[in-house]
Amino acid sequence: LRHRRVPVGPDIMFVRRLSCQVATVSLLVHTHALRMPFARGSTVRMAASNAATLPKQETGISALLDAQPEADGRGTLVAVLDTGCDLAAAGLQETSDGRPKYVDFIDCTGGGDIDTSKKVKPAEDGTLEGLSGRTLKLGGWAEGVDEFRLGALRLYGLGSMPTSVLRRLKEERKAAFVMQHQAAVSAVQRELDGLADGAPKEAKRDLELRLEQYDAMMDGYTDHGPLLDVLLWRQQPSGVWQAVIDVDGEGDLSAAEPMAPYAHARQVGDMGHGSALTYCVQVYDEGERLSVVTDAGSHGTHVAGIVAANFALDSALNGVAPGAQVLACKIGDGRLGSAETGTGLVRALIAAKARGCDLINLSYGEPAWQHDSGRVAETFTAAVRKWGMCVFTSAGNDGPALSSLGSPGALSAPICVGAYVSPAMMAEQYSMLPVADVSGASYSFSSRGPTPDGFMPSLCAPGGAIAPVPRHALQGKAQYHGTSMSSPNACGVAACVLSALKQAGLSVGPIELRRALE
């Protein structure tokens, strides 16, 4: 990923007014390399305390929502193509008008896929043997089910698990092992020290051998992680797939709660073992494959929070468009260090099309040589020009050098967004003093144009935010900055504008929206 650089520096910025039929929304637009500055000042009015933690005044969204409170993104669906999202994160449970925040969560990487092709019948005593070799005790939920599909996953081998969670689990489990190991060694050593001078040599030798074995156990310590059994079956007469994962790894499933694919009942679970890792399930190929879907890092939840977080008790913590719904598409493959693949991107775009998304945010990318070529570029173009979705993507964090813009920011179809920092953000997010006479600026790391074919970023938006992060981060929110944060801010602005237009009975496509924003 290229989204988390730290330095802040000056650059030329200007403010431009966006008039979109029913709403006027000011957007920060970057005067990129080889582009003349617009003749307007760039100083932004200081916001009230905490208002700049997730910036809205800089883009005029605060003014829009003051005038039209219901133009907060409601009625719009945003696809977030990222590391995936924590479905249980604070502020991402419901929209401002009471609808579920997430319509679905799809793993487009295949990292959480489990082979469930093996079929077995349960024994008369309500048990069956899992692939782990354990005898699985079934619960009342298994009544009437005459056939199960079996699978298994090793928690550490779950390709979608965040690296930070894996590292923490290994450290915690090793610490617990060391504590038990030291207690066992101390007990043997006390017994050895307590032997009388005339004790048999065999007794002393036995204790010494035990100490040697304990030392060998510590030297050869290896933790392969818990092996978890998986059961899958089709409920009758509804025909809905149901899955149970033995997250405790003990074989007792009597109290387990079966889970259906997320869109059916919006059920989520916890992978257990202190992971605080939220998961849901999807079923493919007529039950031949179960997908255990988790996020691969905190990036995607933070991005989704910028777009659409909704805190009913404290609106200052809200995202830009708290009324918008989110389709979470995981393109960050945990097996590749949360990097994306072309296949994952294409799958995500197809999923966004199938669910009728209005907007797409992609805060991902890397350096590129040939722009606007290949399968991924063609699919982005189709998403905008044929499927009617407006795509926002981050410019990248490889600036301030000229021609540092990478892909997909350099593609012609998406709206490419650079990162801006306002005086209010400097004060609230970075504790900068004083800021009274400081003007807004581009973050120094924000990538610039032109590309070899002359393309430059389309606009700039606030590039820092304090927003929700996953539960497994063991904190409720975090401050991140980068063009990864500016892109969802601009996407949230577009959601609010589209919301206002829809409520006024007006319809615009991605081309009209882009022309207005630029």
Side-chain angles (χ1 to χ4, degrees):
L1 296 182
R2 52 176 176 85
H3 313 286
R4 298 172 191 164
R5 299 280 181 87
V6 178
V8 178
D11 198 2
I12 304 171
M13 295 292 300
F14 66 86
V15 177
R16 197 174 183 182
R17 302 298 295 179
L18 161 67
S19 297
C20 198
Q21 300 188 53
V22 299
T24 300
V25 182
S26 62
L27 286 173
L28 298 163
V29 185
H30 183 232
T31 57
H32 308 294
L34 307 182
R35 184 177 293 180
M36 294 299 293
F38 192 74
R40 288 188 182 177
S42 60
T43 302
V44 180
R45 178 171 55 88
M46 288 297 294
S49 179
N50 295 328
T53 56
L54 207 160
K56 306 177 189 72
Q57 289 193 343
E58 289 81 351
T59 57
I61 284 300
S62 295
L64 172 62
L65 295 181
D66 287 343
Q68 300 185 53
E70 294 187 354
D72 61 355
R74 63 188 66 184
T76 64
L77 178 58
V78 181
V80 174
L81 279 57
D82 215 287
T83 60
C85 303
D86 183 353
L87 300 176
L92 291 167
Q93 300 306 301
E94 290 186 344
T95 65
S96 56
D97 56 350
R99 293 171 297 157
K101 177 59 67 177
Y102 292 104
V103 298
D104 210 348
F105 185 13
I106 303 167
D107 184 355
C108 301
T109 72
D113 287 2
I114 300 170
D115 182 359
T116 50
S117 58
K118 183 175 181 179
K119 303 176 183 179
V120 298
K121 296 185 179 297
E124 294 182 359
D125 61 355
T127 64
L128 57 82
E129 183 179 344
L131 292 185
S132 69
R134 299 188 190 97
T135 297
L136 305 180
K137 180 182 178 182
L138 310 181
W141 45 265
E143 294 182 5
V145 182
D146 57 5
E147 184 178 77
F148 291 93
R149 290 176 175 268
L150 299 184
L153 68 93
R154 192 171 293 280
L155 186 59
Y156 291 177
L158 185 61
S160 56
M161 174 176 283
T163 303
S164 59
V165 176
L166 179 59
R167 181 172 58 250
R168 175 167 57 82
L169 286 185
K170 287 185 174 182
E171 290 174 351
E172 291 174 352
R173 285 167 61 90
K174 184 172 184 178
F177 175 83
V178 169
M179 184 177 296
Q180 293 180 348
H181 179 269
Q182 290 175 342
V185 170
S186 298
V188 175
Q189 188 65 56
R190 283 195 301 269
E191 188 176 350
L192 180 61
D193 294 341
L195 288 179
D197 292 340
K201 293 183 179 180
E202 292 78 4
K204 181 179 180 180
R205 182 56 180 163
D206 179 66
L207 293 174
E208 290 174 343
L209 287 174
R210 288 169 64 183
L211 287 176
E212 291 177 6
Q213 289 300 313
Y214 279 134
D215 288 342
M217 288 175 61
M218 191 69 257
D219 292 340
Y221 173 84
T222 303
D223 181 11
H224 295 289
L227 181 61
L228 313 180
D229 282 291
V230 176
L231 298 181
L232 178 67
W233 71 97
R234 177 166 267 167
Q235 195 69 39
Q236 298 299 337
S238 65
V240 176
W241 287 102
Q242 301 281 332
V244 165
I245 300 177
D246 182 17
V247 293
D248 295 327
E250 296 177 352
D252 187 356
L253 302 177
S254 57
E257 181 179 352
M259 296 176 62
Y262 182 76
H264 179 75
R266 295 183 173 84
Q267 294 171 288
V268 298
D270 188 304
M271 291 306 299
H273 303 276
S275 65
L277 182 63
T278 306
Y279 74 94
C280 69
V281 299
Q282 304 287 357
V283 181
Y284 301 105
D285 302 331
E286 288 297 309
E288 295 286 304
R289 183 162 50 100
L290 175 72
S291 176
V292 178
V293 190
T294 71
D295 67 86
S298 59
H299 192 267
T301 302
H302 196 271
V303 166
I306 294 173
V307 176
N310 175 56
F311 290 88
L313 300 180
D314 190 354
S315 60
L317 302 176
N318 283 353
V320 179
Q325 289 185 291
V326 173
L327 170 65
C329 296
K330 178 180 174 180
I331 61 168
D333 195 328
R335 299 166 297 182
L336 303 175
S338 73
E340 85 280 22
T341 64
T343 299
L345 282 169
V346 171
R347 287 175 178 170
L349 292 171
I350 292 173
K353 174 192 176 185
R355 286 159 178 79
C357 291
D358 302 288
L359 303 163
I360 294 174
N361 185 82
L362 174 63
S363 292
Y364 253 70
E366 59 277 312
W369 172 55
Q370 289 183 317
H371 306 293
D372 265 343
S373 64
R375 171 66 168 158
V376 172
E378 292 172 358
T379 309
F380 271 112
T381 300
V384 174
R385 303 189 183 281
K386 295 181 180 179
W387 306 341
M389 297 182 289
C390 193
V391 180
F392 291 80
T393 188
S394 52
N397 301 333
D398 297 318
L402 300 181
S403 301
S404 52
L405 189 62
S407 182
L411 301 182
S412 59
I415 296 175
C416 179
V417 187
Y420 167 85
V421 58
S422 70
M425 292 168 62
M426 297 176 194
E428 291 295 335
Q429 297 188 34
Y430 305 102
S431 301
M432 178 177 173
L433 295 173
V435 296
D437 298 323
V438 177
S439 297
S442 172
Y443 280 96
S444 63
F445 56 71
S446 189
S447 293
R448 272 70 165 173
T451 61
D453 57 356
F455 187 80
M456 294 185 287
S458 309
L459 50 88
C460 272
I466 297 175
V469 291
R471 296 183 309 119
H472 60 69
L474 306 184
Q475 61 187 79
K477 54 188 177 181
Q479 194 277 344
Y480 293 164
H481 53 219
T483 56
S484 282
M485 284 62 252
S486 60
S487 180
N489 194 296
C491 186
V493 169
C496 291
V497 171
L498 287 179
S499 180
L501 291 169
K502 287 185 177 184
Q503 291 169 34
L506 302 172
S507 176
V508 298
I511 306 303
E512 294 91 338
L513 180 59
R514 177 172 184 158
R515 289 185 62 186
L517 293 175
E518 293 183 342

